[in-house]
Amino acid sequence: MGNVHLYPMPVGNDKQGTSQEQLFSNTAYQIWPGLKSNAACKVVVRAYILRAYNLHPGDISGLSDPYVEIVLGKSIRISDSKNYVPKTLNPVFGRCFERVISFPECSTMKIRIMDYDRIGKNELIGETTIDIESRYYSKHRAYCGLPKQYNKDGYNRWRDSEKPSKILHKLCLLHSLKHPIYTTNSVTIGLKTFHVHEENIESDRQSLALYVLNHWQDMPVVGYHLVPEYVETRTLYNPDMPNLHQGTLEMWVDMFSRDSNIPEMVDIKPPIVELYELRVIIWSVTDVKLVDSNFFTKEKHSDIYIKGWLPGVEKRSTDVHYRSLNGEGLFNWRLKFSFPYNKTENIIVYRKKNYFGFDHEEQQFSPKLNLEIWDNDQLSPDLYIGSLTLNLRNMPRGAKSSWMSNLSEMSRINLFKVKKTSGWWPFISTENNKNTIVGKVNAEIQIMTKQEADKSPAGFGRDGPQPLTVPKRPSTHYLKAIMDPFKFVFRSLFSANRTKFLVILLIVFVVLFFLIMIYAIPGNLIRILFDKFFKKN
């Protein structure tokens, strides 16, 4: 890499003659337009390290304690070991590192992901190298990407050291073009007019200039692409294993001249995890598959209850609706789940202490509500009937009636935005790679922050505050059979099976009649014989 300089030769006769060295020493040299000076250049470099994923494990546990290390040139080394992320292969760093360097002394930057060890030497997981000098001097303006919109403030505010209109003005000077002429919705440079038709582009000068910069490749003859705002996805390598990927790193680099008006850093710290509460009220179920049979009558029934949980949260259950003969069940039962949620990553995040108690292990789950319908058995394990899984960020809206149960035909909602929904959803059972509806649940699902939940508390099950009424169920509980056996037998045998009961009773009477006859015939015959014998004598 180098710089090329062109020096003008003086015009005129020099009778005495002048050596070439004297000529160059007495002449003020000029740099060709577009070529950079070879003088030392002070530059502010910012490396934004967002996250890494699929890292190669560095510990025997199959995980790592990764942190960031940056090397600029041969003399500048930045270690962030105190902010290592424990026990993960997918760390979120959210760190920005800034240093003032000079070209050509520091021409490259290495970003290393290291594995932190309490005992022993920290080991390299993987690294990537960036030629920052080439980026800084590139005509494509790779040192700070161009966003699509110009924002004066907010999270996505303009972060370049120069305004779009100034950048465009310099480009025109560099290529000997006329100054831009701005109108309400267009910019004219020479014979080329850029018409702005996009609705989200405002008509102020900076927004119009930014539009032209994003379409500079359309400029005749001198046009080329300028680097847009970007996040790099870079593969990590380890010199000891050069052909094996060690993970992936997401980051970007901004560079500014030391003499320019340097903007503030972009805040990329990981968002704070918030506590949420999910409330699920199970009102009723219908069309549930009947999986039990009456011992005497062989009639189908089910003892229905529902389990519910979120990933990483303890399972909770409703009470049991005993002896449903038609697949219907009444509950009026509230399930509650508290969970920590990262809104930016859209994941449930738990931090648990490991067995040795040094660090916390982070577990991440997708926010999915799982409901299962079961049959309760007294003397054997409960029998699974079917399940329902709802992704809270993209779940089907509940049907208004129980006969509409095709999830693919329902519109999708984000519960974190709508906050509350209700309706009917189907339970599915998979047998022989075929999905079958084995029941439908009428439920109300509500999500709220911990602050909202504290303002409007609700009890678990049917308890207060905000208690739920006890449903009116058929009194067929097994305990009632013990307390009132005659009533239980009458309902279970006679009321539900009158015809069968009468037929069996008739058969019993006929059999008893014949048994009595068989038992009485020998005695009657002997008595008849004795009577005849004594009459003859």
Side-chain angles (χ1 to χ4, degrees), residues 92-110:
V92 178
F93 297 110
R95 304 282 294 165
C96 180
F97 304 92
E98 179 181 285
R99 285 294 186 275
V100 178
I101 64 170
S102 60
F103 294 140
E105 180 182 354
C106 293
S107 60
T108 61
M109 176 171 63
K110 285 186 178 180

Side-chain angles (χ1 to χ4, degrees), residues 81-221:
S81 58
K82 64 180 181 180
N83 292 311
Y84 72 93
V85 183
K87 306 300 178 186
T88 181
L89 298 180
N90 302 286
V92 178
F93 297 110
R95 304 282 294 165
C96 180
F97 304 92
E98 179 181 285
R99 285 294 186 275
V100 178
I101 64 170
S102 60
F103 294 140
E105 180 182 354
C106 293
S107 60
T108 61
M109 176 171 63
K110 285 186 178 180
I111 299 99
R112 295 172 175 169
I113 304 300
M114 308 290 293
D115 178 39
Y116 178 82
D117 288 322
R118 290 181 177 273
I119 302 174
K121 184 180 179 181
N122 299 338
E123 298 180 351
L124 173 68
I125 298 176
E127 65 180 15
T128 183
T129 303
I130 300 175
D131 188 340
I132 54 176
E133 186 178 17
S134 294
R135 289 193 178 191
Y136 187 75
Y137 289 125
S138 169
K139 72 173 185 177
H140 299 281
R141 219 173 171 276
Y143 50 83
C144 190
L146 297 171
K148 292 295 183 182
Q149 294 183 355
Y150 178 77
N151 298 309
K152 296 180 181 179
D153 49 25
Y155 183 80
N156 197 32
R157 65 182 178 275
W158 181 258
R159 71 172 194 271
D160 204 310
S161 58
E162 297 178 334
K163 296 292 180 64
S165 58
K166 186 175 182 180
I167 299 171
L168 182 59
H169 182 75
K170 285 186 174 182
L171 277 175
C172 292
L173 288 178
L174 178 64
H175 298 288
S176 301
L177 299 173
K178 293 183 178 180
H179 298 322
I181 300 174
Y182 297 89
T183 61
T184 303
N185 59 354
S186 66
V187 181
T188 301
I189 303 175
L191 300 177
K192 174 65 176 177
T193 300
F194 294 86
H195 296 281
V196 181
H197 300 293
E198 300 180 17
E199 296 181 356
N200 57 346
I201 301 296
E202 298 182 5
S203 59
D204 62 280
R205 172 173 289 212
Q206 301 303 335
S207 297
L208 294 173
L210 180 58
Y211 178 85
V212 176
L213 294 174
N214 281 312
H215 295 80
W216 185 249
Q217 68 274 9
D218 298 334
M219 191 69 193
V221 182

Side-chain angles (χ1 to χ4, degrees), residues 267-413:
D267 184 9
I268 59 169
K269 292 180 181 178
I272 300 174
V273 175
E274 296 184 55
L275 287 177
Y276 278 78
E277 182 172 291
L278 180 67
R279 298 176 181 177
V280 183
I281 300 179
I282 307 296
W283 296 114
S284 62
V285 294
T286 189
D287 298 337
V288 176
K289 182 179 179 181
L290 304 179
V291 294
D292 283 341
S293 297
N294 188 291
F295 180 77
F296 298 102
T297 65
K298 304 301 180 182
E299 186 165 9
K300 290 285 188 179
H301 69 273
S302 287
D303 301 320
I304 305 167
Y305 73 96
I306 294 175
K307 292 181 182 179
W309 74 94
L310 288 172
V313 180
E314 182 181 359
K315 293 184 179 180
R316 299 185 178 275
S317 302
T318 66
D319 65 344
V320 182
H321 182 114
Y322 287 96
R323 300 191 63 79
S324 172
L325 302 177
N326 56 3
E328 294 182 356
L330 303 176
F331 293 97
N332 295 1
W333 194 273
R334 182 186 291 111
L335 305 175
K336 295 199 309 177
F337 310 98
S338 296
F339 61 97
Y341 184 66
N342 183 331
K343 291 192 296 185
T344 303
E345 297 289 331
N346 297 314
I347 53 175
I348 298 174
V349 181
Y350 293 101
R351 298 193 68 191
K352 297 182 179 180
K353 270 195 172 183
N354 59 19
Y355 293 109
F356 300 100
F358 293 130
D359 301 310
H360 287 79
E361 181 178 347
E362 187 174 279
Q363 295 179 322
Q364 301 178 353
F365 303 97
S366 178
K368 293 182 179 180
L369 171 64
N370 299 280
L371 296 176
E372 289 181 346
I373 187 165
W374 288 73
D375 173 69
N376 176 263
D377 285 323
Q378 301 290 340
L379 303 177
S380 61
D382 293 351
L383 184 63
Y384 167 81
I385 299 177
S387 63
L388 168 66
T389 300
L390 298 174
N391 187 333
L392 301 182
R393 292 184 54 248
N394 184 25
M395 60 180 286
R397 189 185 297 274
K400 295 182 179 180
S401 59
S402 60
W403 58 270
M404 296 176 61
S405 55
N406 190 350
L407 290 178
S408 61
E409 297 178 356
M410 300 179 186
S411 59
R412 317 294 289 191
I413 59 172

Side-chain angles (χ1 to χ4, degrees), residues 493-513:
L493 298 180
F494 185 75
S495 297
N497 303 276
R498 294 178 182 178
T499 304
K500 293 181 180 178
F501 186 81
L502 292 175
V503 171
I504 292 173
L505 190 61
L506 180 60
I507 293 173
V508 170
F509 279 121
V510 171
V511 171
L512 287 175
F513 176 76

